Amino acid sequence: MPGDSARVLTDAPVAASSRSLSTARAVLRVFALLLEHPEGVRADEVATVLGKSVSTAYYLLTSLCEEGFAVHECKGVYRRARGLEELTATVGEQTHLGHQLHEGLAGSVDELFLLTRKRSYLGAVKAGRIEIVAFCGRQGVPRMPGLGSEIRDSAHALAMGKVVLSLLPPNALARYVARGLTAFTPHTIISPTELTAELQKVRHDGYAVDREEFDENFCCIAAPIFDARGRFLGALGLSVSANVFDADRDQLAPIVLDVARRAADRVAAEAAAGDHRRLASVS
C-alpha cells in the first residue's frame, strides 16, 4: 500500500535517530561509571550495570578509549583517562598544540598512513610523559590502547615508549626502572637486563617494536624524529595486528624510518627558511 510505504520511509529516520540517541545515552552511562570508579571497571561489570551484552560493553568502552576519555589497562580493566574531569577546560590547549606542531611532523603521520594503510601516530614528550599529539587511520584498523591519553608507566611495553627510553641518560632510565616494570601481558619485558639489551637494539636499529607487550594482538613499530641539531622532536609509529606484524615487519620498519627521516629533513628546511627570512629582515 502507498500509505504503508510512506509510513516506513517516514519512520526509518526516526528509528535511526532513536538508536543513535540510545547509544549516546549508553556511552554517557559508561562515562559516568568510569568517573564513579577511578580504580577501573571490566566489560562484564559494565554489561551488568547497563543490562546489555558483554560485546556491547566492549564496543562502548572501546569508543571511549578511541576518543581519549578512557584507557585500556592490563587484564581487561578500563579506567578514566588522566585529567578526564578537566577535559573541557583543556580542549583549547590541545587544539593550540596541534597548530604549534611543525608542518613536517604533522604531515609525517598522514604520509605514513598513506604509504602503509596502517594506523599511524605521532608522540611528543611532555612533562615526563609521552602524549599522542596526532594520528591517522581508518575504521577497523587496530588503534593504540588508551589513545588520547598519556604513555607513562607503560613506556617499556610500547614501541613509542622504547624510542624515548632509549634516548634517556643512564640515571633517568634507572629511575624509570626503579619504579618497577609492570607486566601487561606475558610478553612484556620486566627484566631490567633484558630491557637494557632491548634499548641497545633500538639505538642500533634506529627503531623500536613491541609485539603484544601491552595488549593482545596489538603490535607497534616506531622511530624517532630529530631536528638538524640532533634534538629529539617526537616519535613516529604505526600499529598492526600480530599476524600482520609477523608477515610485514621487515617491509614496514624501513618505511617508518624513511618517513621519520623525511620529516626531520622538512623540519630542518623549515628552520633554515626561517633563519633566512630573519636575516633578510635584519639586513
Side-chain angles (χ1 to χ4, degrees), residues 1-66:
M1 297 290 291
D4 292 338
S5 299
R7 186 168 61 254
V8 170
L9 292 174
T10 301
D11 291 346
V14 175
S17 176
S18 177
R19 286 195 298 271
S20 298
L21 182 58
S22 176
T23 301
R25 286 172 175 164
V27 170
L28 288 174
R29 289 182 66 189
V30 177
F31 179 76
L33 196 62
L34 291 173
L35 291 176
E36 294 171 5
H37 299 276
E39 73 282 2
V41 297
R42 299 175 60 87
D44 56 347
E45 296 170 338
V46 172
T48 299
V49 172
L50 298 186
K52 297 183 179 295
S53 67
V54 175
S55 61
T56 297
Y58 273 121
Y59 168 77
L60 297 171
L61 288 164
T62 299
S63 297
L64 288 171
C65 286
E66 290 182 349

Side-chain angles (χ1 to χ4, degrees), residues 10-203:
T10 301
D11 291 346
V14 175
S17 176
S18 177
R19 286 195 298 271
S20 298
L21 182 58
S22 176
T23 301
R25 286 172 175 164
V27 170
L28 288 174
R29 289 182 66 189
V30 177
F31 179 76
L33 196 62
L34 291 173
L35 291 176
E36 294 171 5
H37 299 276
E39 73 282 2
V41 297
R42 299 175 60 87
D44 56 347
E45 296 170 338
V46 172
T48 299
V49 172
L50 298 186
K52 297 183 179 295
S53 67
V54 175
S55 61
T56 297
Y58 273 121
Y59 168 77
L60 297 171
L61 288 164
T62 299
S63 297
L64 288 171
C65 286
E66 290 182 349
E67 297 306 322
F69 291 94
V71 292
H72 183 190
E73 299 288 2
C74 60
K75 300 180 180 179
V77 174
Y78 295 80
R79 65 169 178 79
R80 66 182 186 182
R82 293 178 184 270
L84 184 60
E85 65 281 357
E86 301 168 0
L87 182 63
T88 303
T90 60
V91 167
E93 178 184 348
Q94 292 172 352
T95 302
H96 183 59
L97 172 63
H99 291 305
Q100 287 185 323
L101 286 175
H102 284 288
E103 291 182 7
L105 291 184
S108 66
V109 181
D110 295 330
E111 181 183 358
L112 184 58
F113 173 73
L114 290 174
L115 289 173
T116 64
R117 292 296 169 181
K118 311 303 180 189
R119 192 169 289 276
S120 304
Y121 313 88
L122 177 68
V125 175
K126 297 176 177 294
R129 70 187 189 279
I130 305 167
E131 182 179 336
I132 307 300
V133 294
F135 70 89
C136 183
R138 66 178 186 272
Q139 292 296 325
V141 178
R143 192 169 186 170
M144 180 175 288
L147 179 65
S149 186
E150 62 189 34
I151 300 172
R152 190 188 293 265
D153 295 334
S154 59
H156 60 289
L158 291 163
M160 194 168 285
K162 292 179 186 179
V163 166
V164 175
L165 293 178
S166 73
L167 301 172
L168 292 179
N171 59 336
L173 178 61
R175 286 196 297 272
Y176 177 87
V177 172
R179 296 202 300 264
L181 301 176
T182 301
F184 296 97
T185 75
H187 304 288
T188 307
I189 296 174
I190 58 175
S191 162
T193 301
E194 291 183 18
L195 180 61
T196 299
E198 177 81 357
L199 299 181
Q200 177 59 41
K201 181 173 174 55
V202 172
R203 288 188 287 269

